[in-house]
């Protein structure tokens, strides 16, 4: 990246790619994390690498849901920790909410490395550490079924950026409001979650923080109306229409 000009049209995207590669080399990420990032990067490219109106609509609904939550939890996997640890910690602080480590390919070494990333970003209370107690999530097996008793297990609203479909579906089945950030509107995670933000996590989290600041003065009934009026499937369809428009434009 030293020879890459900051004027390159995809400079920011390439910086993120470099950041992910270094995190993999340091053992923070599993190799499949790079595949997942590349898939998201492709969708981001099609969407113009910017936050579009459907994403802004879902960010507003997500922010209202987080403010209404009695026990909000921010679930952090490896990719989210590498790309947006500081913003996730800031969001946890202003809500307030707890942060819980959630790794698809879980090893004690990777859990410790993600914990280190979060601590470096300013997190003081981190759930889901290797030595922590946990309850299994109904419908899931293995390490990915872990839920901290005071975290995801007890939460009414869970923000799970870059989540896998099985876990998102299982959390929704337990009656939790699941907010996800997923650049692929066709993924099972996007289709299953309660509120899907089709955007890059590095843009979405700061925008959620901004929106929470705007909505904090609203009455409870006003926040409830924002969540009630939001139609996730219709909003996802709007994102798909945008993708189709971009592809049609590029194809001409």
């Amino acid at each position: 990246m030293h020879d890459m000009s900051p004027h390159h049209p995809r400079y920011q995207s390439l910086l993120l790619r470099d950041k992910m590669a270094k995190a993999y080399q340091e053992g923070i990420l599993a190799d499949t994390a790079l595949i997942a990032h590349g898939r998201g990067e492709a969708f981001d490219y099609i969407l113009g690498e910017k936050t579009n109106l459907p994403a802004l609509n879902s960010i507003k609904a997500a922010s209202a849901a987080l403010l209404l939550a009695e026990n909000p939890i921010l679930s952090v996997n490896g990719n989210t920790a590498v790309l947006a640890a500081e913003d996730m910690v800031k969001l946890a602080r202003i809500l307030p909410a707890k942060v819980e480590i959630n790794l698809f390919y879980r090893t004690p070494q990777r859990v410790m490395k993600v914990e280190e990333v979060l601590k470096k970003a300013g997190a003081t209370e981190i759930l889901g550490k290797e030595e922590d107690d946990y309850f299994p999530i109904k419908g899931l097996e293995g390490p990915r079924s872990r839920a901290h008793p005071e975290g995801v297990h007890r939460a009414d609203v869970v923000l799970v950026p870059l989540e896998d479909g099985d876990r998102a579906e299982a959390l929704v089945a337990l009656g939790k409001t699941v907010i996800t950030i997923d650049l692929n509107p066709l993924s099972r995670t996007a289709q299953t979650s309660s509120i899907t933000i089709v955007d890059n996590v590095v843009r979405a989290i700061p925008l959620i923080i901004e929106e929470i600041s705007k909505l904090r003065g609203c009455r409870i009934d006003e926040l409830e109306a924002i969540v009630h009026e939001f139609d996730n499937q219709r909003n996802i369809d709007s994102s798909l229409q945008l993708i189709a428009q971009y592809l049609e434009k590029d194809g001409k």
Side-chain angles (χ1 to χ4, degrees), residues 72-77 80-81 88 98-103 146 152 157-163 167 171 179:
I73 291 294
L74 310 185
S75 179
V76 177
N77 67 2
T80 304
M88 288 294 281
K98 294 184 175 68
V99 174
E100 180 169 341
I101 297 172
N102 157 37
L103 301 183
R146 294 174 66 115
V152 168
V157 178
V158 188
L159 173 63
V160 284
L162 316 178
E163 182 58 282
R167 188 171 166 106
L171 292 175
I179 302 166

Side-chain angles (χ1 to χ4, degrees), residues 150-180:
E150 296 301 315
V152 168
H153 179 77
R154 185 166 170 260
D156 53 343
V157 178
V158 188
L159 173 63
V160 284
L162 316 178
E163 182 58 282
D164 71 276
D166 286 351
R167 188 171 166 106
E169 189 173 13
L171 292 175
V172 169
L174 290 173
K176 301 180 189 298
T177 297
V178 175
I179 302 166
T180 194

Side-chain angles (χ1 to χ4, degrees), residues 19-169:
K19 197 172 185 180
M20 292 289 288
K22 288 178 179 176
Y24 167 67
Q25 292 165 2
E26 293 169 3
I28 301 170
L29 300 176
D31 51 6
T32 52
L34 302 182
I35 298 172
H37 180 75
R39 183 171 59 239
E41 190 180 75
F43 278 96
D44 204 14
Y45 183 79
I46 294 170
L47 287 165
E49 294 181 314
K50 61 184 180 181
T51 302
N52 294 285
L53 181 58
L56 291 172
N57 291 337
S58 53
I59 283 169
K60 184 174 183 178
S63 301
L66 286 167
L67 284 170
L68 287 167
E70 292 184 9
N71 297 297
I73 291 294
L74 310 185
S75 179
V76 177
N77 67 2
N79 286 31
T80 304
V82 171
L83 295 172
E86 290 183 2
D87 288 325
M88 288 294 281
V89 170
K90 184 177 180 180
L91 177 59
R93 190 177 296 121
I94 67 170
L95 277 170
K98 294 184 175 68
V99 174
E100 180 169 341
I101 297 172
N102 157 37
L103 301 183
F104 189 93
Y105 295 104
R106 186 183 180 98
T107 66
Q109 294 78 13
R110 286 192 61 228
V111 171
M112 286 188 290
K113 286 182 178 295
V114 171
E115 182 184 353
E116 288 172 6
V117 172
L118 290 170
K119 284 182 176 178
K120 188 176 180 180
T124 54
E125 182 179 10
I126 303 169
L127 307 180
K129 300 186 295 296
E130 193 61 24
E131 68 275 11
D132 286 356
D133 291 335
Y134 68 92
F135 293 141
I137 297 173
K138 185 178 179 181
L140 295 178
E141 297 179 356
R144 51 204 286 270
S145 72
R146 294 174 66 115
H148 193 282
E150 296 301 315
V152 168
H153 179 77
R154 185 166 170 260
D156 53 343
V157 178
V158 188
L159 173 63
V160 284
L162 316 178
E163 182 58 282
D164 71 276
D166 286 351
R167 188 171 166 106
E169 189 173 13

Side-chain angles (χ1 to χ4, degrees), residues 14 28 46 57 59 62 105 153 166-167 172 193 203 210 212-214 222 224 236:
L14 293 171
I28 301 170
I46 294 170
N57 291 337
I59 283 169
Y105 295 104
H153 179 77
D166 286 351
R167 188 171 166 106
V172 169
S193 296
R203 295 191 299 268
E210 287 181 20
I212 283 174
S213 298
K214 295 176 186 176
E222 292 174 325
E224 289 173 340
I236 288 173

Side-chain angles (χ1 to χ4, degrees), residues 163-211:
E163 182 58 282
D164 71 276
D166 286 351
R167 188 171 166 106
E169 189 173 13
L171 292 175
V172 169
L174 290 173
K176 301 180 189 298
T177 297
V178 175
I179 302 166
T180 194
I181 302 171
D182 194 331
L183 277 160
N184 178 7
L186 292 172
S187 73
R188 225 156 34 96
T189 304
Q191 295 287 328
T192 299
S193 296
S194 314
I195 300 173
T196 300
I197 302 169
V198 181
D199 198 11
N200 194 315
V201 67
V202 301
R203 295 191 299 268
I205 300 299
L207 288 172
I208 291 173
I209 292 170
E210 287 181 20
E211 192 64 33

